[in-house]
Amino acid sequence: MARRYDSRTTIFSPEGRLYQIEYAMEAISHAGTVLGILAKDGVVLAAEKKVTGKLLDLSGAKDGGYGGSGEKIFLLNSNAIAGTAGLTADANSLINFARSAAQNHLLLYNEDIPVELLCQRLCDMKQGYTQFGGLRPFGVSLLYAGWDPHYQWQLYHSDPSGNYSGWKATSIGSNNGTCSDLILRTMSKTMDSTTLGSEKLEFAIMSLDKEGKPKAKIFKPSEIDALLESEGLAKKDEDTEMKS
């Protein structure tokens, strides 16, 4: 029965389902996990990277930019960051749209865009891709973390249908059902790898600086390794394991 209704995003099945959106959600369920935790003094995002080839050139992520590998966690604006799970190409398109929306708001009103409004802008566009023919839903979910003077620290989640909601802690991607109640120390239980390192993880936090302005910090690989080592979670060197 599904084959008669899954060829178009604009056709409802007799049960009231849009199969193309469900297929997009299925693609997201195979992506690396992204975990977001909202606190009183900031927001933390942690992400599992899937592209971990030994021949992959990560010199740009290590030496330049604002941190991160450009795969899972992105800087949207000075007051907002986002973690993505799903198709990276679709995520790049949405990230660029969000950055443009944030800069347009800054140009018009001379203030950072409210986090929920930024989420709404993206969700309005994503909803349009489920309503008009010749388009397909974006195969990516996002976690938005940010601060604004209206609602202080905020954490939002949006899916391919254009729905969004606020959370105190949530996750997207693979193992999202079991990851919602986990903290960073137990994150390794839901990952494909038994060791934690910068090749498998991305970290980002948002907090207020000394002047009371929101500041995003996306950790570079060397900083991630140092953080894991300080918490006793760093992976062991392969040569050391062989000797022992």
Side-chain angles (χ1 to χ4, degrees):
M1 181 65 72
R3 293 184 181 275
R4 298 174 54 186
Y5 301 98
D6 65 353
S7 60
R8 298 289 187 273
T9 60
T10 56
I11 298 178
F12 283 95
S13 72
E15 297 84 12
R17 301 165 62 182
L18 291 173
Y19 285 103
Q20 287 293 330
I21 294 179
E22 296 183 17
Y23 296 159
M25 297 294 292
E26 181 65 22
I28 295 168
S29 67
H30 298 292
T33 307
V34 180
L35 172 68
I37 300 176
L38 180 65
K40 293 182 179 179
D41 57 351
V43 189
V44 177
L45 293 183
E48 175 191 6
K49 295 191 292 185
K50 289 292 188 180
V51 182
T52 58
K54 294 184 179 298
L55 299 180
L56 187 64
D57 184 9
L58 296 175
S59 58
K62 292 181 179 179
D63 303 327
Y66 54 82
S69 66
E71 179 191 350
K72 299 296 291 184
I73 298 178
F74 301 85
L75 182 67
L76 301 181
N77 196 39
S78 60
N79 68 323
I81 56 178
T84 65
L87 302 179
T88 304
D90 287 5
N92 289 335
S93 177
L94 291 177
I95 292 300
N96 288 335
F97 179 86
R99 288 170 174 171
S100 297
Q103 291 303 304
N104 288 335
H105 186 93
L106 179 63
L107 179 64
L108 289 174
Y109 302 103
N110 195 30
E111 66 176 11
D112 289 329
I113 186 171
V115 182
E116 185 175 5
L117 179 59
L118 180 60
C119 182
Q120 286 178 348
R121 294 281 176 84
L122 255 70
C123 288
D124 287 344
M125 184 180 70
K126 289 197 290 184
Q127 189 276 334
Y129 275 70
T130 70
Q131 191 173 1
F132 301 103
L135 304 174
R136 69 159 177 83
F138 288 94
V140 61
S141 284
L142 289 90
L143 289 185
Y144 311 81
W147 183 93
D148 62 53
H150 305 286
Y151 297 105
Q152 308 299 318
W153 296 109
Q154 299 156 72
L155 176 66
Y156 295 99
H157 163 239
S158 70
D159 59 37
S161 68
N163 287 327
Y164 77 92
S165 53
W167 295 81
K168 294 182 178 179
T170 188
S171 65
I172 55 178
S174 60
N175 302 301
N176 64 83
T178 59
C179 192
S180 297
D181 297 329
L182 299 178
I183 59 175
L184 298 180
R185 181 175 292 276
T186 59
M187 187 175 176
S188 60
K189 294 182 180 180
T190 65
M191 294 178 60
D192 296 332
S193 174
T194 57
T195 59
L196 297 178
S198 59
E199 298 86 0
K200 290 282 187 178
L201 290 175
E202 285 192 35
F203 284 129
I205 60 174
M206 286 207 70
S207 58
L208 296 179
D209 59 18
K210 296 180 180 180
E211 299 178 355
K213 297 181 179 180
K215 180 181 179 181
K217 169 65 175 177
I218 301 180
F219 287 76
K220 294 184 177 181
S222 58
E223 296 172 326
I224 294 176
D225 290 332
L227 177 62
L228 293 174
E229 185 174 356
S230 66
E231 296 295 330
L233 299 173
K235 70 175 183 178
K236 297 182 180 178
D237 184 72
E238 294 181 358
D239 295 336
T240 304
E241 289 183 345
M242 292 178 64
K243 292 179 182 179
S244 59

